[in-house]
Amino acid sequence: MIESYLNYIRYEKRYSNHTFISYQNDLNQFTAFSKDSYGLSCPSEASYQMIRAWIVTLAENEITPKSINRKIACLRSFYKYLLKQNAIQKDPTLRLKAPKINKQLPHFVEENDILKLLDQFKFSEDFYGLRDKLILELLYGTGIRLSELISIKEEHINKFERIIKIKGKGNKERIIPLNENLMNLINIYRKEREKVFERPNEYLIITDKGDQSYPMFIYRTVKNYLDIIPTLEKRSPHVLRHTFATHLLNKGADLNAIKDLLGHSSLAATQVYTHNSLDKLKAIFEQAHPKA
């Protein structure tokens, strides 16, 4: 049943590879726990009390609430699938309560700092320098995820309309506009890339060897440049996504438009950025209002 479920989420639900591996590990962990603690041959035989005992064990082992919630989400999805397959008569996860997570505000780069990095830092004008700058400009200029950046192919870019087609979570596609400077940078980068590689890879961002880029390559590249900004607490590609959304909101962009650009499925996921903007509004109010 586990193998059948994993095939279901990979090929029918089209979960990302990251989610697939996480769910696979979660199910393996729960299977081992239910076998060691209760002698079960399959987790489909588990009761609510058994699952709750596993959750308590995880908490006692200081597993973070965020990780526990993902494991609960995995089990809920698994037992929902078993119900559809008539493999069980009752969902044992219905009464499970997820632990509360302390909400953390997204980390972002101040506007002056990111503009100074992108506009004043001396990137080399060869393929390697242009590629690094394009990575930063795309992440900050479009708000795309690391996985989405890696997946951009040449055919996804329309230079005439200055738009880029992004394939996000769940294979959902969205269109993001490119500003003129970013489009020009892409064209210059392409020319330099052709000087190094006669037959470029079909993907836009490639490694020093001409292969498709990969997560750690992008992460290291971004961190290397964000290290220049000493005030940052976190330095990762996702920080640039947060920066994109926060700066748009600070400039008065509509929250629904930001939601569509980020590829969020609900407005609730986008509303976290309003907290950063509210802090800025409060600071402006206290500085400018006579009664503040």
Side-chain angles (χ1 to χ4, degrees):
M1 292 308 300
I2 291 178
E3 185 178 354
S4 174
Y5 167 74
L6 291 174
N7 286 332
Y8 166 72
I9 64 173
R10 166 169 273 181
Y11 300 113
E12 291 190 41
K13 298 294 288 183
R14 294 185 178 274
Y15 283 13
S16 70
N17 190 53
H18 177 77
T19 302
F20 173 82
I21 292 172
S22 296
Y23 275 29
Q24 185 180 45
N25 290 336
D26 292 340
L27 284 173
N28 287 339
Q29 289 171 15
F30 179 64
T31 300
F33 172 84
S34 60
K35 183 178 181 180
D36 293 341
S37 302
Y38 301 100
L40 301 185
S41 58
C42 178
S44 62
E45 303 168 10
S47 64
Y48 161 75
Q49 288 78 10
M50 295 174 185
I51 297 173
R52 187 176 181 280
W54 184 52
I55 301 302
V56 171
T57 302
L58 293 172
E60 289 174 346
N61 289 329
E62 298 184 353
I63 303 299
T64 65
K66 185 175 182 180
S67 294
I68 292 176
N69 281 348
R70 190 203 63 232
K71 294 176 189 297
I72 291 176
C74 167
L75 290 184
R76 282 176 172 158
S77 173
F78 175 63
Y79 286 110
K80 185 177 180 181
Y81 172 78
L82 294 185
L83 273 177
K84 286 184 177 179
Q85 300 300 314
N86 294 317
I88 58 174
Q89 301 300 315
K90 185 179 179 182
D91 184 350
T93 66
L94 287 177
R95 289 190 290 153
L96 278 183
K97 292 184 178 179
K100 291 183 179 180
I101 300 176
N102 293 327
K103 290 185 178 180
Q104 294 183 342
L105 295 181
H107 294 272
F108 67 96
V109 187
E110 293 292 344
E111 188 174 332
N112 289 338
D113 290 330
I114 191 65
L115 293 180
K116 188 181 295 183
L117 172 62
L118 296 176
D119 297 339
Q120 298 180 21
F121 183 83
K122 296 296 181 182
F123 293 88
S124 63
E125 296 182 3
D126 57 8
F127 157 73
Y128 306 99
L130 288 169
R131 179 202 55 206
D132 289 358
K133 184 175 184 182
L134 182 57
I135 289 172
L136 297 172
E137 290 275 10
L138 277 170
L139 290 170
Y140 172 61
T142 63
I144 57 178
R145 302 175 178 91
L146 183 154
S147 59
E148 295 169 346
L149 174 70
I150 291 171
S151 301
I152 296 175
K153 294 183 179 180
E154 287 290 340
E155 63 191 44
H156 295 157
I157 301 171
N158 186 322
K159 66 179 181 179
F160 301 105
E161 296 185 30
R162 291 214 314 264
I163 56 175
I164 185 170
K165 183 168 68 175
I166 298 297
K167 186 170 288 188
K169 289 184 175 180
N171 278 342
K172 293 180 180 178
E173 291 186 351
R174 67 185 189 279
I175 302 297
I176 298 179
L178 299 171
N179 63 59
E180 187 175 356
N181 290 333
L182 184 48
M183 192 66 246
N184 289 337
L185 177 60
I186 291 174
N187 291 331
I188 296 171
Y189 160 76
R190 282 168 165 167
K191 291 177 182 178
E192 288 299 318
R193 186 182 57 182
E194 289 173 3
K195 293 179 183 178
V196 181
F197 305 99
E198 292 183 6
R199 294 182 178 179
N201 195 293
E202 62 178 326
Y203 292 94
L204 178 67
I205 304 298
I206 56 177
T207 65
D208 294 355
K209 295 181 179 180
D211 301 322
Q212 181 189 7
S213 58
Y214 50 91
M216 188 51 67
F217 175 82
I218 300 296
Y219 181 87
R220 282 198 302 258
T221 301
V222 172
K223 186 179 184 303
N224 182 48
Y225 289 100
L226 291 186
D227 278 342
I228 298 171
I229 305 172
T231 54
L232 278 181
E233 293 183 29
K234 294 187 71 175
R235 299 170 176 86
S236 70
H238 217 67
V239 168
L240 293 178
R241 177 172 162 87
H242 293 325
T243 303
F244 165 83
T246 302
H247 290 179
L248 281 179
L249 201 57
N250 286 344
K251 294 293 185 181
D254 179 71
L255 196 61
N256 276 300
I258 297 174
K259 164 186 166 291
D260 292 340
L261 288 170
L262 291 173
H264 284 161
S265 56
S266 70
L267 197 60
T270 316
Q271 286 175 330
V272 66
Y273 298 106
T274 61
H275 294 287
N276 287 327
S277 294
L278 282 174
D279 289 339
K280 184 174 182 179
L281 287 174
K282 288 177 182 177
I284 294 172
F285 173 80
E286 290 174 359
Q287 181 181 3
H289 197 282
K291 288 285 188 178

